[in-house]
Amino acid sequence: MAAAAVGTLAVTLIPGPAQASPKEAKAAATTSANIEVIASKLNNPRGLSVQADGTILVAESGVGKPGCAPGTKCVGLTGSVYRVKGAQQGRVVTGLPSAAVAPTNPYEPISAAGPNDVEANGSGYLVLNGFGGGTDDRAKLGADAAKLGTLQTASGWVVGDPVKHETLLDPDWVLGHPANGEEASIHSNPWRFARNGRGFLVTDAGANDLIGVGFGGRTTTEAIFPDNELPAPGGAAAPSAKEKKALESLAPQTKSVAADGTVKVQSVPSGIVKGADGAFYIADMGGLRPGGSRIWRIVPGHRAEVFASGLTAVTDLAADKNGNLIALTLTGGFQQQGPPLPGKLSRIDVKTKAVTEIPTDGKLAMSTGLAVGPDNAIYVTNNSVGTEGQLIKITE
């Protein structure tokens, strides 16, 4: 992988951010990352959470159905929850749904849609499953697919069903997306969730909205995230066919080019975290285009507002112990030749909106999950497509 730039990134996101001082910039430039691999050989690891006692939970999307015919989409019960508790680690929940197209080349990674996020819930666990379609698509995949795209307990009780919400309402129809062969209008891929009082808020990367899940599984549309219009990409490369296949379970690649050459990309909401001010902050992937990601601020019941922009392919958000936001970038972009550029971590001061890059020595590769522990250490799921996934710990 190409080496990522290490040091302070002082970027104007929304008018008025503070700039890092020369002294701060010099100190950051000489800082290298302290990265430790906590767990490896994870199956499509996605979201994670850290409990107050330091226990780490990782949602693994699984590997689909073993023995599925090459080129065929099958659903198996290979999704799981991986736990790290002190010196002990391993899968504490298995048998969760996982959908994947079996690769035609045995050397290609298996990109699966399954458990995308997890948190402890009393003596058990809450799991948010990803998907990529509507209720009819889910039904066609058989009985094992019934809980794909739902928020469920590990014991099997469905708390809420974003796929059903999307199928019945298709809230982002108001954005006027033209019909195309890449993605149907009804498309739900729940990505992350956060507690909101006695209920939950769920980001749906496929449906471009934020869904509330309340008592009895009642769902509401809390926000619809509009497309982003970006300058023409110029010499920037788009994902290759192989990369698009690997990214299939992560983010839609749909985009349109206007007559003036600007590119219109779907928002693809991803990470969500509750801030110290009581508001929720939500990232969008911006169609994976460089500079296309935004971070939104929303108080439930009020209109979402852009808090920051200009980041790239943000897949998750967390808050550190000082109340600042941490943003995880999936990749810095795609190259004409060679693998995608490394991802990165950025700290955003919620008061000044100044952005500082957290050194990772170019070691983030297709990272999707992010959490901050009680000791302020940062945890990331790395190599999140395939069966060579990692849980890494980053300390500054």
Side-chain angles (χ1 to χ4, degrees), residues 233-260:
S240 67
K242 182 178 179 180
E243 288 164 348
K244 281 185 177 181
K245 187 175 181 180
L247 291 166
E248 188 176 73
S249 63
L250 301 181
Q253 302 299 303
T254 306
K255 63 181 184 295
S256 58
V257 180
D260 62 0

Side-chain angles (χ1 to χ4, degrees), residues 1-2 4 35 327-332 340-346 358-367 369-370 378 380-383 390 392 394:
M1 301 289 287
I35 299 177
L328 174 66
T329 291
L330 177 75
T331 173
L341 296 173
K344 67 180 180 181
L345 287 169
S346 300
I358 299 171
T360 52
D361 293 351
K363 293 180 180 178
L364 297 187
M366 305 305 284
S367 302
L370 170 69
I378 299 171
V380 169
T381 51
N382 204 33
N383 298 330
Q390 299 173 324
I392 61 176
I394 301 165

Side-chain angles (χ1 to χ4, degrees), residues 101-274:
V101 175
T104 54
N105 182 334
Y107 299 103
E108 286 184 10
I110 297 174
S111 178
N116 266 346
D117 203 7
V118 60
E119 71 169 35
N121 179 40
S123 59
Y125 306 97
L126 274 175
V127 178
L128 179 67
N129 298 310
F131 182 47
T135 53
D136 288 346
D137 304 303
R138 187 167 63 184
K140 291 175 183 177
L141 292 172
D144 287 344
K147 292 172 184 172
L148 282 171
T150 69
L151 179 62
Q152 67 161 98
T153 65
S155 60
W157 178 54
V158 173
V159 179
D161 190 349
V163 173
K164 183 178 179 180
H165 183 92
E166 164 72 0
T167 302
L168 292 175
L169 301 176
D170 188 18
D172 73 337
W173 73 269
V174 298
L175 301 179
H177 293 148
N180 64 83
E182 296 181 29
E183 180 190 349
S185 176
I186 303 298
H187 186 90
S188 174
N189 182 20
W191 188 251
R192 297 286 185 266
F193 72 98
R195 290 185 179 271
N196 179 30
R198 298 181 64 184
F200 304 91
L201 293 174
V202 178
T203 59
D204 194 323
N208 298 305
D209 57 19
L210 178 70
I211 301 169
V213 176
F215 182 77
R218 179 175 176 269
T219 55
T220 55
T221 304
E222 297 295 326
I224 300 170
F225 299 101
D227 299 342
N228 200 0
E229 293 188 9
L230 305 170
S240 67
K242 182 178 179 180
E243 288 164 348
K244 281 185 177 181
K245 187 175 181 180
L247 291 166
E248 188 176 73
S249 63
L250 301 181
Q253 302 299 303
T254 306
K255 63 181 184 295
S256 58
V257 180
D260 62 0
T262 58
V263 177
K264 193 174 185 179
V265 297
Q266 293 189 29
S267 58
V268 193
S270 51
I272 178 171
V273 65
K274 189 174 185 179

